[in-house]
Amino acid sequence: MTKKIAVLPGDGIGPEIITEAVKVLDYLNADMDLGLVFENGLIGGAAYDVHATPFPQQTLDLARQSDAILLGAVGGYKWESLDISVRPEKGLLGLRSELQLFANLRPAILYPQLVDASTLKPEVVSGFDIMIIRELTGGIYFGQPRGVRLLENGEKQGYNTLVYSESEIRRIAHVAFQTAQKRNRRLCSVDKANVLECTELWRQVVTETGKQYPEVELSHMYVDNAAMQLVRAPKQFDVLVTTNMFGDILSDISAMLTGSIGMLPSASLDANNKGMYEPIHGSAPDIAGKGIANPLATILSAAMMLRYSFNQNEAAERIEQAVNAALNANIRTADIYSDGMQKIGASAMGDAVISALKERA
Ligand code: NAD
């Protein structure tokens, strides 16, 4: 049976890194007869330029008809002055929300070969391997009311709303506990329950849900402390679960622990494991078009797609091992470069992963 993948390259380095991920998938598709078929669509600024919206109906239809979505990144200087309602990021938020992709899984692993690329001391980060689970379709990024209003005194006031219902918290908590069950059975829920009522409810519902998972050790931490602990002693964590905005920020911190944001993949899943797979980084307009972006986060996102949406564990592992082998060959894109290594671009990194796949076939 064929499995259809909607490919949405997006903006900036999006098309460059997606080309490499599709190249890797194409090779495995032929080698393992995976039955993957690809169809491209527009999102973000690229969609705005053609359809005057960052999230065209055709793209939503394509995403709905597909078994999984592979996305590059959206955004860039060119669209920054547009009204917020049609900025590229709205396309991505719209897709997450329309498809109810509420569970964002962000594994952060430090490859031993990249210990020198991390800004932290080797003894603090070596062996670092955590999973951040970020709620993705609720919280302050979606809460209403929102906007900028004019006060009676003539001053403008910006406002957003942090809102979570019990059911939204419960469903992400279940994903987090089940993920922890498959790892080292430790879950830390991150909130700001001392100040925000909404996250006080978060803490209560996560605690209640935890009663169904007695084998998972549950702890709670305030987000400011969690940010500090991630940098102070990151290996204390196994699985973290948190709200949309806190997860956004904490996963960028954990990205730096692994050496580069160009290494971190993600999966955004709905209740039936239909998913969208994308690197956690943005469209990197500062390096777009130069061919120097690191495609490994996107290639590793494709591996997550094979595992979570298509149950192709062997194919996923082959990609992960090939990435490891490519790093062992001492080649590096600029973001993870260190002395003594050979500096290469995105396309050569994609080729190196395919060579490693061939060698291990
Ligand atoms: P960014 O993640 O695009 O870039 C941050 C820094 O990391 C830049 O110096 C960039 O060059 C570098 N970087 C990112 N990915 C890299 C890669 N694969 N290889 C090498 N270096 C890489 O974040 P930003 O600069 O804050 O945002 C740029 C644009 O991306 C904005 O328009 C923002 O809204 C958008 N954005 C999109 C997403 C997404 O599509 N999921 C996520 C974050 C930001």
Side-chain angles (χ1 to χ4, degrees), residues 229-244:
Q229 295 298 335
L230 265 174
V231 183
R232 191 187 75 86
K235 285 183 277 183
Q236 69 184 282
F237 297 112
D238 177 24
V239 180
L240 288 168
V241 62
T242 191
T243 62
N244 203 341

Side-chain angles (χ1 to χ4, degrees), residues 19 22 86 101 104 108 173 177 180 237 260 265 289 322 354:
T19 300
V22 171
V86 287
L101 303 170
N104 186 208
F177 281 107
F237 297 112
S260 169
I354 292 173

Side-chain angles (χ1 to χ4, degrees), residues 13 17 71-77 80 88-89 92 96 106 248 252 260-263 278-287 292-298 333-335:
I13 60 169
I17 52 179
L71 186 133
V74 298
Y77 311 133
E80 268 170 13
E89 292 74 9
L92 189 53
R96 289 171 179 168
R106 299 183 156 202
D248 194 0
D252 269 29
S260 169
I261 200 165
M263 292 298 300
E278 53 175 322
I280 78 155
H281 58 73
S283 58
D286 53 335
I287 58 166
I292 60 170
N294 185 347
L296 293 179
T298 317
T333 43
D335 58 310

Side-chain angles (χ1 to χ4, degrees), residues 49 163 210:
D49 287 349
V163 54

Side-chain angles (χ1 to χ4, degrees), residues 25-180:
L25 284 173
D26 264 339
Y27 170 77
L28 271 188
N29 200 19
D31 193 50
M32 299 178 75
D33 202 12
L34 298 175
L36 308 178
V37 293
F38 303 88
E39 186 173 333
N40 274 49
L42 293 172
I43 189 130
Y48 179 82
D49 287 349
V50 178
H51 299 288
T53 164
F55 187 30
Q57 183 64 40
Q58 297 94 309
T59 301
L60 177 57
D61 293 343
L62 170 65
R64 287 214 165 109
Q65 290 151 11
S66 301
D67 300 298
I69 301 145
L70 185 64
L71 186 133
V74 298
Y77 311 133
K78 184 178 169 193
W79 304 282
E80 268 170 13
S81 56
L82 290 176
D83 184 77
I84 195 165
S85 62
V86 287
R87 278 199 211 139
E89 292 74 9
K90 279 282 170 192
L92 189 53
L93 292 177
L95 201 48
R96 289 171 179 168
S97 160
E98 283 291 336
L99 298 185
Q100 276 298 295
L101 303 170
F102 69 92
N104 186 208
L105 274 53
R106 299 183 156 202
I109 297 169
L110 175 70
Y111 285 82
Q113 304 92 322
L114 297 186
V115 113
D116 290 335
S118 174
T119 47
L120 269 71
K121 292 184 194 130
E123 62 269 27
V124 175
V125 284
S126 56
F128 177 64
D129 176 352
I130 66 166
M131 175 73 89
I132 295 186
I133 298 187
R134 168 187 173 197
E135 200 291 326
L136 202 60
T137 52
I140 198 163
Y141 289 4
F142 290 95
Q144 295 288 348
R146 60 192 296 156
V148 178
R149 59 193 161 209
L150 196 59
L151 299 178
E152 274 175 15
N153 66 3
E155 192 188 7
K156 282 187 195 161
Q157 184 185 56
Y159 58 101
N160 288 88
T161 305
L162 173 61
V163 54
Y164 273 114
S165 62
E166 288 179 286
S167 56
E168 282 177 302
I169 303 168
R170 202 170 291 118
R171 67 181 182 177
I172 192 75
H174 278 295
V175 172
F177 281 107
Q178 285 161 17
T179 306

Side-chain angles (χ1 to χ4, degrees), residues 316-339:
E317 274 165 28
R318 281 188 67 189
I319 294 182
E320 288 156 359
Q321 285 165 7
V323 166
N324 204 25
L327 293 173
N328 279 339
N330 292 343
I331 49 172
R332 302 281 187 270
T333 43
D335 58 310
I336 50 174
Y337 176 77
S338 58
D339 284 348

Side-chain angles (χ1 to χ4, degrees), residues 174-214:
H174 278 295
V175 172
F177 281 107
Q178 285 161 17
T179 306
Q181 274 179 328
K182 293 184 204 134
R183 292 176 47 106
N184 294 321
R185 300 194 186 142
R186 283 184 294 114
L187 176 64
C188 179
S189 172
V190 176
D191 60 40
K192 190 71 184 167
N194 51 341
V195 180
L196 301 170
E197 290 82 350
C198 179
T199 69
E200 200 181 357
L201 179 68
W202 175 281
R203 187 176 283 219
Q204 281 165 15
V205 175
V206 172
T207 305
E208 244 172 55
T209 311
K211 291 184 184 143
Q212 295 173 47
Y213 302 89

